[in-house]
Amino acid sequence: MSDSPLPLASALHAPVLDWYAGNARTLPWREPDAGPWAVMVSEFMLQQTPVNRVLPAYATWLRRWPKPVDLAAEAPGEAVRAWDRLGYPRRALRLHAAAQAIVAEHGGKVPDSHEALLALPGVGTYTAAAIASFAFGQRHAVVDTNVRRVFARALTGTAQPTISPTAADQRLAVSALPEDEATAARWAVATMELGALVCTARTPRCADCPIRARCAWVLAGSPPYDGPPRRGQTYEGTDRQVRGRLLAVLRAAHGPVAKPSLDACWPDDVQRERALDGLVADGLVEPLDNHRFRLPA
DNA sequence: GACACGTGGCA
DNA sequence: TTGCCAAGTGT
């Protein structure tokens, strides 16, 4: 397997790091006093949810549960309730389970090794690398959708990254990593920030880009995306929408909810029952006697 | 590897 | 208005 010639990633280090120094957003999980737990909470919330919607929930969450042990002592349903409308509520359940694992297996402290992080519920390759890098300053390839897009353009020369993450993305990110640990950690957050603020998906602000003169995609004349069509994620009428409605009722009710209240959420009996069964199977809803339901205790 | 999984803002 | 997109993970 031979690598095709690519622009020298090391030439991008200084301009991207300098740009980050002058343009990084002030975000609470990046404050010096944030700590690993705060970073971890932010990473869970930011999985597929935009920063602006995470900010208020993040503040409320950390005020209520400032340490893993605080969350671990709660009922999982309280985590689901506090998750509010961030979406993908299974993340709340997994964060709760991760907190319990941290208490049970790591003395209540967020572990600092990629391997131990990866073993936690809800922590995949990206999140493990992100926590290890952002919270502990380690040298890891932190490959999220922003980084994949930045590298696709700057190094590969394509308008968009592949639809799903690939081993090639990971290899490219590893090869682009600065050698020095502290520099690598700044590079990780800087490339993500560049993707979030400048090298955006729809309308990249190339005029503001610190590496536009070296960007393979720009140098190629910014050719349009020519890959396979991206699957639009329909939502209206899906089980996900029904699950969302059911869970919204249960979040709003601080106690058991009778079945008729849930039935009112959705007219299709078959789909509604399937969605409710799914929520129960996922541990997001707890069935009680007399056809009542609640968030898990 | 494809698919399921919430929610809301924006061009 | 509607489709695209948002710091992914688990199966």
Side-chain angles (χ1 to χ4, degrees):
Chain A
M1 178 171 308
S2 68
D3 292 318
S4 54
L6 292 169
L8 203 55
S10 60
L12 308 179
H13 292 166
V16 170
L17 291 169
D18 289 347
W19 172 86
Y20 182 74
N23 296 276
R25 289 167 293 181
T26 299
L27 297 171
W29 45 87
R30 289 184 187 159
E31 294 298 305
D33 64 341
W37 172 240
V39 171
M40 180 166 162
V41 169
S42 78
E43 289 304 333
F44 269 74
M45 291 185 168
L46 288 163
Q47 291 170 4
Q48 301 284 281
T49 301
V51 167
N52 285 338
R53 225 150 30 94
V54 162
L55 286 169
Y58 167 89
T60 303
W61 191 283
L62 278 180
R63 191 164 55 244
R64 182 170 177 184
W65 300 305
K67 299 182 309 233
V69 67
D70 302 317
L71 178 59
E74 283 276 10
E78 283 308 296
V80 174
R81 193 189 311 284
W83 201 253
D84 197 37
R85 304 183 73 79
L86 289 180
Y88 292 150
R90 289 190 293 194
R91 291 180 292 163
L93 229 38
R94 291 181 181 138
L95 181 52
H96 179 268
Q100 293 193 320
I102 287 169
V103 170
E105 299 163 28
H106 301 286
K109 305 197 68 170
V110 177
D112 63 2
S113 82
H114 187 276
E115 182 184 8
L117 288 163
L118 197 53
L120 296 172
V123 177
T125 305
Y126 160 77
T127 301
I131 296 171
S133 179
F134 303 159
F136 297 107
Q138 296 171 16
R139 183 177 181 274
H140 293 280
V142 182
V143 185
D144 76 329
T145 189
N146 289 304
V147 170
R148 295 204 316 116
R149 188 173 55 250
V150 168
F151 288 172
R153 289 176 181 157
L155 299 178
T156 311
T158 58
Q160 300 289 346
T162 54
I163 293 173
S164 356
T166 64
D169 295 334
Q170 197 68 28
R171 272 188 275 110
L172 186 60
V174 169
S175 72
L177 218 47
E179 285 303 319
D180 175 69
E181 185 178 43
T183 308
R186 279 191 300 129
W187 166 257
V189 70
T191 47
M192 281 181 62
E193 191 76 338
L194 186 64
L197 298 183
V198 173
C199 195
T200 53
R202 265 180 280 195
T203 311
R205 305 172 55 184
C206 296
D208 298 328
C209 182
I211 55 174
R212 62 187 178 282
R214 302 172 184 278
C215 175
W217 179 58
V218 168
L219 293 173
S222 304
Y225 176 72
D226 69 343
R230 310 195 153 237
R231 311 192 48 230
Q233 40 180 350
T234 55
Y235 181 64
E236 204 65 27
T238 60
D239 285 9
R240 282 151 80 178
Q241 183 181 25
V242 184
R243 287 166 59 107
R245 288 195 183 184
L246 292 168
L247 218 46
V249 170
L250 291 161
R251 277 197 308 263
H254 286 254
V257 169
K259 190 71 187 320
S261 297
L262 297 177
D263 291 344
C265 290
W266 195 259
D268 182 334
D269 292 349
V270 172
Q271 187 179 23
R272 193 185 59 244
E273 290 308 311
R274 183 174 65 229
L276 184 55
D277 288 347
L279 288 169
V280 171
D282 288 346
L284 285 162
V285 172
E286 182 179 340
L288 302 171
D289 59 358
N290 294 323
H291 306 289
R292 297 176 307 150
F293 298 84
R294 68 178 176 193
L295 298 181

